[in-house]
Amino acid sequence: MPESSLTRPDHPRGATPAEVAQQVAGVSSGARDAAGVRLTGATVRAQDARPGDLFCAVPGTATHGARFAAGAIEAGAVAVLTDPDGAVLLAQEGIDVPVLLHDDPRTVLGPVAAVVYGAPSSRMTLIGITGTSGKTTTSFLVEAALAAGGNPTGLIGTVGTRIGGVDVPSSLTTPEGTALQGLFASMVERGVTAAVMEVSSHALAQNRAGGSRFAVGAFTNLSQDHLDYHPTMEDYFAAKSLLFVGPQACERAVICVDDEWGVRMAELRRAAGLPLVTVATTGPADWTAGEVAANPDGTQRFTLTGPDGRSHSAVVGLPGAYNVANAALALVIAHEAGVPLADAIRGIGAVAVPGRVQRIDRGQDFLAVVDYAHKPAALDAVIATLRGQTAGRIVVVVGAGGDRDRGKRPLMGEAAARAAELVIVTDDNPRTEDPAAIRAAVLAGARAVPGGGEVLEVGDRRAAIALAVNRARTGDVVLVAGKGHEAGQEINGVKHPFDDRDEVAAALEARAAGERA
């Protein structure tokens, strides 16, 4: 799919190959004369190359990107960034354009693109949010708080990308460095003055956010996830810490210290002598949230108390103690970004986040909810929240993704069976793995819980959702967990259209039609 017109600026600042080599450590110019060449964009995808682009030919798992350089140049690319092996391939294919060299070009994609696009993140207030759970919700809340403070806003994250309220197609929580800098430049050109983005551990470890100036960085929490990529929790934590300490550290940090990882992150930041503000709902911090009152409609009122001892009343339109933590963090982030607290509080009041404790209502006499919880701790938290809203049973539809952290699969089943009366184990995104094997791991965890709820296996996700809806009684809660906002289900490398929200709605409508008949 070609890039959207909103993913890059219409009038880029541009840079010469010499300027890139001068400003990015480790990058050198090749022998080919680059006089008169001006770079106006950058891409790692030959199919997205445009006239004036720098094509970044990086080594891949199957082949080297330099093998696609001819196609990029035919599309208008005027220079190539690559490594010594790529330079050899370019010479073999007789490609005669200016070449920039780096021993590991993937690690400098962001800094190189930032030079090409004129350091766009330094021309707006950029906020980066990292952690395991809560990044998306906190980002949505911060975006609303920034807008309430009068800022034209940008948003980059799991659910999608927005520039000035307009949706932009995206596929990664944090895009590749070239695409990210192009987005920033597009935002600046279109008047965005403040942007918030989710920063994944993969992006930090791979330096995808390199070249970005974060005015504020924030940390939500840490729990088991991505251990297919990170060998240990310590490695996972170390990747997250790159946003707060080291050469790319954010200018100001807002860290939630409700868990031990947040406390450790704050200690790291403090030891580095860098500006730090802490937030908590469970203990001492610079900003504390408390006096929570849950309303029947799922909204919550809480008090946020600042370092000066003054308390401020706020409302968040999402249930659960963890969403009070997300809201408090969002308010302090916005405050650190220069938004008056009263405006930030007004801004977050009515925010709804797609696929996060999202209610599906077709007039039924029980609660049906879709949530993105795909980690054991997140599933624990959302079930605990829903338990507080019902005197009935909780029915959970749950699975686990393929080609990802295998260790959390039985933990997902355990979390569901420990807290729900009925657990239906089904397929999530099997990807290239055998779905039955994934379900077996989840089932093993669920069935190992002493005195746990009833556990069923229904591989077809649509059928599993329908069964959950049809088994629900008056006053129960049906939770479909794991995919949230996602609009597809990936099976054997093919993404099929599938949205839990639509499936729950269809199952509710079918049940209602059957009852009427």
Side-chain angles (χ1 to χ4, degrees):
M1 178 189 297
E3 291 179 318
S4 159
S5 60
L6 288 175
T7 59
R8 295 201 197 185
D10 294 327
H11 307 287
R13 289 196 172 187
T16 65
E19 288 170 334
V20 172
Q22 289 164 4
Q23 295 181 47
V24 181
V27 174
S28 61
S29 298
R32 168 74 154 76
D33 182 18
V37 173
R38 188 158 189 83
L39 308 170
T40 54
T43 183
V44 292
R45 290 162 51 94
Q47 61 267 44
D48 289 337
R50 301 182 186 182
D53 268 4
L54 172 67
F55 175 58
C56 302
V58 300
T61 54
T63 189
H64 200 292
R67 297 192 182 279
F68 303 101
I73 291 165
E74 185 177 347
V78 295
V80 177
L81 167 70
T82 193
D83 60 5
D85 290 341
V88 170
L89 291 171
L90 295 177
Q92 289 173 349
E93 294 189 19
I95 292 174
D96 186 27
V97 296
V99 175
L100 292 170
L101 289 172
H102 189 278
D103 289 341
D104 188 2
R106 186 176 291 279
T107 63
V108 294
L109 293 178
V112 164
V115 174
V116 171
Y117 288 116
S121 64
S122 66
R123 292 183 274 144
M124 61 180 174
T125 299
L126 178 62
I127 296 162
I129 299 175
T130 196
T132 303
S133 299
K135 295 189 299 295
T136 297
T137 297
T138 304
S139 295
F140 267 69
L141 293 169
V142 171
E143 182 197 30
L146 293 170
N151 296 281
T153 60
L155 174 73
I156 300 172
T158 306
V159 172
T161 297
R162 282 201 294 264
I163 299 177
V166 178
D167 290 332
V168 179
S170 63
S171 58
L172 295 172
T173 299
T174 311
E176 193 65 80
T178 50
L180 184 61
Q181 298 301 321
L183 273 172
F184 289 158
S186 177
M187 288 179 180
V188 171
E189 185 175 86
R190 288 164 176 80
V192 167
T193 59
V196 56
M197 66 177 289
E198 299 177 45
V199 189
S200 68
S201 61
H202 293 67
L204 287 163
Q206 296 165 9
N207 200 33
R208 277 191 230 151
S212 304
R213 170 187 169 272
F214 288 100
V216 181
F219 180 82
T220 58
N221 51 61
L222 205 72
S223 62
Q224 182 171 338
D225 197 21
H226 301 305
L227 295 191
D228 54 314
Y229 180 81
H230 300 286
T232 64
M233 285 294 290
E234 288 294 333
D235 185 79
Y236 184 30
F237 174 78
K240 295 290 190 186
S241 73
L242 295 173
L243 184 60
F244 304 99
V245 293
Q248 299 277 349
C250 56
E251 294 178 4
R252 298 189 297 285
V254 182
I255 295 176
C256 180
V257 292
D258 277 346
D259 69 3
E260 61 175 310
W261 299 102
V263 172
R264 284 183 56 187
M265 195 70 79
E267 289 171 349
L268 277 180
R269 179 79 179 185
R270 195 175 289 114
L274 298 171
L276 167 67
V277 174
T278 56
V279 182
T281 63
T282 59
D286 297 316
W287 293 82
T288 57
E291 300 179 23
V292 181
N295 300 319
D297 62 357
T299 62
Q300 301 181 90
R301 182 172 293 278
F302 66 96
T303 298
L304 182 66
T305 303
D308 59 1
R310 293 180 57 195
S311 294
H312 310 265
S313 181
V315 172
V316 60
L318 300 163
Y322 58 93
N323 278 320
V324 172
N326 291 335
L329 185 63
L331 290 173
V332 178
I333 291 167
H335 180 70
E336 286 293 302
V339 176
L341 197 58
D343 290 340
I345 289 171
R346 174 170 51 83
I348 73 165
V351 174
V353 185
R356 271 61 177 179
V357 203
Q358 185 171 348
R359 299 175 184 224
I360 311 298
D361 189 358
R362 292 298 185 272
Q364 74 274 11
D365 58 1
F366 57 91
L367 180 63
V369 172
V370 171
D371 193 81
Y372 190 52
H374 59 284
K375 301 170 280 278
L379 188 59
D380 270 333
V382 72
I383 294 175
T385 291
L386 296 171
R387 176 66 70 192
Q389 294 182 246
T390 182
R393 303 175 309 151
I394 292 183
V395 180
V396 176
V397 178
V398 68
D403 302 332
R404 298 293 187 271
D405 181 4
R406 297 183 180 216
K408 74 177 181 182
R409 294 172 187 175
L411 301 179
M412 292 292 289
E414 179 187 336
R418 189 171 56 242
E421 282 74 23
L422 172 58
V423 178
I424 302 174
V425 175
T426 190
D427 293 342
D428 190 289
N429 290 310
R431 299 184 176 91
T432 64
E433 285 194 62
D434 175 12
I438 300 173
R439 294 196 304 272
V442 179
L443 285 162
R447 289 171 174 160
V449 175
E454 180 184 2
V455 179
L456 302 176
E457 178 183 12
V458 180
D460 182 274
R461 193 173 181 90
R462 181 175 288 112
I465 290 171
L467 178 61
V469 166
N470 289 323
R471 288 282 298 267
R473 305 169 189 160
T474 300
D476 283 355
V477 175
V478 172
L479 166 64
V480 180
K483 289 172 59 58
H485 64 281
E486 293 178 356
Q489 185 180 30
E490 190 174 338
I491 303 172
N492 199 24
V494 178
K495 186 167 285 188
H496 303 270
F498 196 99
D499 191 314
D500 282 354
R501 297 164 295 183
D502 293 342
E503 297 301 331
V504 172
L508 290 169
E509 290 163 4
R511 171 175 164 145
E515 290 172 348
R516 286 194 299 270

PDB file of all heavy atoms in Angstrom, residues 132 222-225 227 230-238 261:
ATOM      1  N   THR A 132       3.983  -1.116  29.820  1.00  0.00           N
ATOM      2  CA  THR A 132       3.321  -2.308  29.282  1.00  0.00           C
ATOM      3  C   THR A 132       1.852  -2.048  29.008  1.00  0.00           C
ATOM      4  O   THR A 132       1.378  -2.199  27.888  1.00  0.00           O
ATOM      5  CB  THR A 132       3.467  -3.495  30.257  1.00  0.00           C
ATOM      6  OG1 THR A 132       4.849  -3.744  30.504  1.00  0.00           O
ATOM      7  CG2 THR A 132       2.835  -4.749  29.669  1.00  0.00           C
ATOM      8  N   LEU A 222       4.990  -1.817  34.278  1.00  0.00           N
ATOM      9  CA  LEU A 222       5.661  -2.909  33.571  1.00  0.00           C
ATOM     10  C   LEU A 222       5.141  -4.238  34.101  1.00  0.00           C
ATOM     11  O   LEU A 222       5.035  -4.436  35.311  1.00  0.00           O
ATOM     12  CB  LEU A 222       7.181  -2.839  33.758  1.00  0.00           C
ATOM     13  CG  LEU A 222       8.019  -3.492  32.650  1.00  0.00           C
ATOM     14  CD1 LEU A 222       7.980  -2.671  31.384  1.00  0.00           C
ATOM     15  CD2 LEU A 222       9.457  -3.679  33.100  1.00  0.00           C
ATOM     16  N   SER A 223       4.770  -5.123  33.170  1.00  0.00           N
ATOM     17  CA  SER A 223       4.385  -6.489  33.531  1.00  0.00           C
ATOM     18  C   SER A 223       4.765  -7.393  32.367  1.00  0.00           C
ATOM     19  O   SER A 223       5.194  -6.910  31.310  1.00  0.00           O
ATOM     20  CB  SER A 223       2.883  -6.590  33.828  1.00  0.00           C
ATOM     21  OG  SER A 223       2.121  -6.247  32.679  1.00  0.00           O
ATOM     22  N   GLN A 224       4.612  -8.703  32.529  1.00  0.00           N
ATOM     23  CA  GLN A 224       5.139  -9.624  31.523  1.00  0.00           C
ATOM     24  C   GLN A 224       4.493  -9.431  30.162  1.00  0.00           C
ATOM     25  O   GLN A 224       3.280  -9.497  30.005  1.00  0.00           O
ATOM     26  CB  GLN A 224       4.956 -11.082  31.952  1.00  0.00           C
ATOM     27  CG  GLN A 224       5.547 -12.057  30.926  1.00  0.00           C
ATOM     28  CD  GLN A 224       5.585 -13.479  31.400  1.00  0.00           C
ATOM     29  OE1 GLN A 224       5.557 -13.742  32.599  1.00  0.00           O
ATOM     30  NE2 GLN A 224       5.647 -14.425  30.477  1.00  0.00           N
ATOM     31  N   ASP A 225       5.341  -9.209  29.169  1.00  0.00           N
ATOM     32  CA  ASP A 225       4.918  -9.094  27.775  1.00  0.00           C
ATOM     33  C   ASP A 225       6.181  -9.051  26.921  1.00  0.00           C
ATOM     34  O   ASP A 225       7.258  -8.687  27.401  1.00  0.00           O
ATOM     35  CB  ASP A 225       4.082  -7.823  27.562  1.00  0.00           C
ATOM     36  CG  ASP A 225       3.284  -7.863  26.265  1.00  0.00           C
ATOM     37  OD1 ASP A 225       3.051  -8.973  25.743  1.00  0.00           O
ATOM     38  OD2 ASP A 225       2.888  -6.794  25.777  1.00  0.00           O
ATOM     39  N   LEU A 227       8.227 -11.178  25.885  1.00  0.00           N
ATOM     40  CA  LEU A 227       9.411 -11.949  26.247  1.00  0.00           C
ATOM     41  C   LEU A 227       9.830 -12.903  25.128  1.00  0.00           C
ATOM     42  O   LEU A 227      10.767 -13.683  25.289  1.00  0.00           O
ATOM     43  CB  LEU A 227       9.188 -12.703  27.560  1.00  0.00           C
ATOM     44  CG  LEU A 227       9.005 -11.811  28.795  1.00  0.00           C
ATOM     45  CD1 LEU A 227       9.061 -12.645  30.065  1.00  0.00           C
ATOM     46  CD2 LEU A 227      10.058 -10.701  28.854  1.00  0.00           C
ATOM     47  N   HIS A 230      12.363  -9.788  24.146  1.00  0.00           N
ATOM     48  CA  HIS A 230      13.292  -9.508  25.239  1.00  0.00           C
ATOM     49  C   HIS A 230      13.535 -10.811  26.007  1.00  0.00           C
ATOM     50  O   HIS A 230      12.587 -11.452  26.454  1.00  0.00           O
ATOM     51  CB  HIS A 230      12.711  -8.450  26.183  1.00  0.00           C
ATOM     52  CG  HIS A 230      12.426  -7.145  25.507  1.00  0.00           C
ATOM     53  ND1 HIS A 230      13.418  -6.274  25.129  1.00  0.00           N
ATOM     54  CD2 HIS A 230      11.249  -6.586  25.125  1.00  0.00           C
ATOM     55  CE1 HIS A 230      12.859  -5.219  24.543  1.00  0.00           C
ATOM     56  NE2 HIS A 230      11.561  -5.385  24.531  1.00  0.00           N
ATOM     57  N   PRO A 231      14.791 -11.206  26.206  1.00  0.00           N
ATOM     58  CA  PRO A 231      15.057 -12.484  26.872  1.00  0.00           C
ATOM     59  C   PRO A 231      14.625 -12.525  28.329  1.00  0.00           C
ATOM     60  O   PRO A 231      14.298 -13.588  28.852  1.00  0.00           O
ATOM     61  CB  PRO A 231      16.571 -12.656  26.739  1.00  0.00           C
ATOM     62  CG  PRO A 231      17.104 -11.285  26.455  1.00  0.00           C
ATOM     63  CD  PRO A 231      16.028 -10.568  25.712  1.00  0.00           C
ATOM     64  N   THR A 232      14.603 -11.383  28.998  1.00  0.00           N
ATOM     65  CA  THR A 232      14.233 -11.330  30.413  1.00  0.00           C
ATOM     66  C   THR A 232      13.452 -10.052  30.694  1.00  0.00           C
ATOM     67  O   THR A 232      13.457  -9.112  29.892  1.00  0.00           O
ATOM     68  CB  THR A 232      15.479 -11.327  31.321  1.00  0.00           C
ATOM     69  OG1 THR A 232      16.235 -10.112  31.055  1.00  0.00           O
ATOM     70  CG2 THR A 232      16.359 -12.531  31.062  1.00  0.00           C
ATOM     71  N   MET A 233      12.796 -10.010  31.860  1.00  0.00           N
ATOM     72  CA  MET A 233      12.118  -8.786  32.277  1.00  0.00           C
ATOM     73  C   MET A 233      13.125  -7.654  32.477  1.00  0.00           C
ATOM     74  O   MET A 233      12.800  -6.485  32.236  1.00  0.00           O
ATOM     75  CB  MET A 233      11.337  -9.032  33.568  1.00  0.00           C
ATOM     76  CG  MET A 233      10.053  -9.824  33.388  1.00  0.00           C
ATOM     77  SD  MET A 233       8.791  -8.949  32.409  1.00  0.00           S
ATOM     78  CE  MET A 233       8.316  -7.630  33.537  1.00  0.00           C
ATOM     79  N   GLU A 234      14.329  -7.993  32.917  1.00  0.00           N
ATOM     80  CA  GLU A 234      15.349  -6.961  33.099  1.00  0.00           C
ATOM     81  C   GLU A 234      15.712  -6.313  31.760  1.00  0.00           C
ATOM     82  O   GLU A 234      15.903  -5.098  31.667  1.00  0.00           O
ATOM     83  CB  GLU A 234      16.597  -7.553  33.760  1.00  0.00           C
ATOM     84  CG  GLU A 234      16.414  -7.907  35.226  1.00  0.00           C
ATOM     85  CD  GLU A 234      16.179  -6.681  36.107  1.00  0.00           C
ATOM     86  OE1 GLU A 234      16.645  -5.576  35.742  1.00  0.00           O
ATOM     87  OE2 GLU A 234      15.532  -6.830  37.152  1.00  0.00           O
ATOM     88  N   ASP A 235      15.804  -7.123  30.716  1.00  0.00           N
ATOM     89  CA  ASP A 235      16.101  -6.586  29.389  1.00  0.00           C
ATOM     90  C   ASP A 235      14.943  -5.725  28.896  1.00  0.00           C
ATOM     91  O   ASP A 235      15.149  -4.668  28.283  1.00  0.00           O
ATOM     92  CB  ASP A 235      16.355  -7.743  28.415  1.00  0.00           C
ATOM     93  CG  ASP A 235      16.787  -7.252  27.036  1.00  0.00           C
ATOM     94  OD1 ASP A 235      17.967  -6.893  26.876  1.00  0.00           O
ATOM     95  OD2 ASP A 235      15.928  -7.212  26.122  1.00  0.00           O
ATOM     96  N   TYR A 236      13.735  -6.160  29.149  1.00  0.00           N
ATOM     97  CA  TYR A 236      12.521  -5.410  28.796  1.00  0.00           C
ATOM     98  C   TYR A 236      12.530  -4.051  29.493  1.00  0.00           C
ATOM     99  O   TYR A 236      12.286  -3.005  28.874  1.00  0.00           O
ATOM    100  CB  TYR A 236      11.318  -6.258  29.213  1.00  0.00           C
ATOM    101  CG  TYR A 236       9.949  -5.739  28.865  1.00  0.00           C
ATOM    102  CD1 TYR A 236       9.706  -4.948  27.752  1.00  0.00           C
ATOM    103  CD2 TYR A 236       8.856  -6.101  29.663  1.00  0.00           C
ATOM    104  CE1 TYR A 236       8.414  -4.509  27.455  1.00  0.00           C
ATOM    105  CE2 TYR A 236       7.573  -5.668  29.365  1.00  0.00           C
ATOM    106  CZ  TYR A 236       7.358  -4.875  28.272  1.00  0.00           C
ATOM    107  OH  TYR A 236       6.086  -4.443  27.981  1.00  0.00           O
ATOM    108  N   PHE A 237      12.837  -4.058  30.787  1.00  0.00           N
ATOM    109  CA  PHE A 237      12.918  -2.812  31.558  1.00  0.00           C
ATOM    110  C   PHE A 237      14.023  -1.910  31.019  1.00  0.00           C
ATOM    111  O   PHE A 237      13.841  -0.694  30.886  1.00  0.00           O
ATOM    112  CB  PHE A 237      13.165  -3.146  33.026  1.00  0.00           C
ATOM    113  CG  PHE A 237      13.411  -1.948  33.905  1.00  0.00           C
ATOM    114  CD1 PHE A 237      12.357  -1.153  34.324  1.00  0.00           C
ATOM    115  CD2 PHE A 237      14.696  -1.605  34.310  1.00  0.00           C
ATOM    116  CE1 PHE A 237      12.577  -0.048  35.134  1.00  0.00           C
ATOM    117  CE2 PHE A 237      14.924  -0.515  35.113  1.00  0.00           C
ATOM    118  CZ  PHE A 237      13.862   0.277  35.528  1.00  0.00           C
ATOM    119  N   ALA A 238      15.168  -2.508  30.699  1.00  0.00           N
ATOM    120  CA  ALA A 238      16.294  -1.711  30.194  1.00  0.00           C
ATOM    121  C   ALA A 238      15.928  -1.002  28.895  1.00  0.00           C
ATOM    122  O   ALA A 238      16.327   0.149  28.670  1.00  0.00           O
ATOM    123  CB  ALA A 238      17.515  -2.602  29.984  1.00  0.00           C
ATOM    124  N   TRP A 261       8.546  -1.434  39.217  1.00  0.00           N
ATOM    125  CA  TRP A 261       9.301  -1.018  38.041  1.00  0.00           C
ATOM    126  C   TRP A 261       9.274   0.492  37.890  1.00  0.00           C
ATOM    127  O   TRP A 261      10.273   1.109  37.489  1.00  0.00           O
ATOM    128  CB  TRP A 261       8.750  -1.701  36.797  1.00  0.00           C
ATOM    129  CG  TRP A 261       8.824  -3.193  36.840  1.00  0.00           C
ATOM    130  CD1 TRP A 261       7.803  -4.069  37.100  1.00  0.00           C
ATOM    131  CD2 TRP A 261       9.997  -3.994  36.645  1.00  0.00           C
ATOM    132  NE1 TRP A 261       8.268  -5.358  37.064  1.00  0.00           N
ATOM    133  CE2 TRP A 261       9.603  -5.354  36.786  1.00  0.00           C
ATOM    134  CE3 TRP A 261      11.331  -3.715  36.357  1.00  0.00           C
ATOM    135  CZ2 TRP A 261      10.499  -6.409  36.642  1.00  0.00           C
ATOM    136  CZ3 TRP A 261      12.228  -4.764  36.216  1.00  0.00           C
ATOM    137  CH2 TRP A 261      11.808  -6.096  36.361  1.00  0.00           C
TER     138      TRP A 261
END
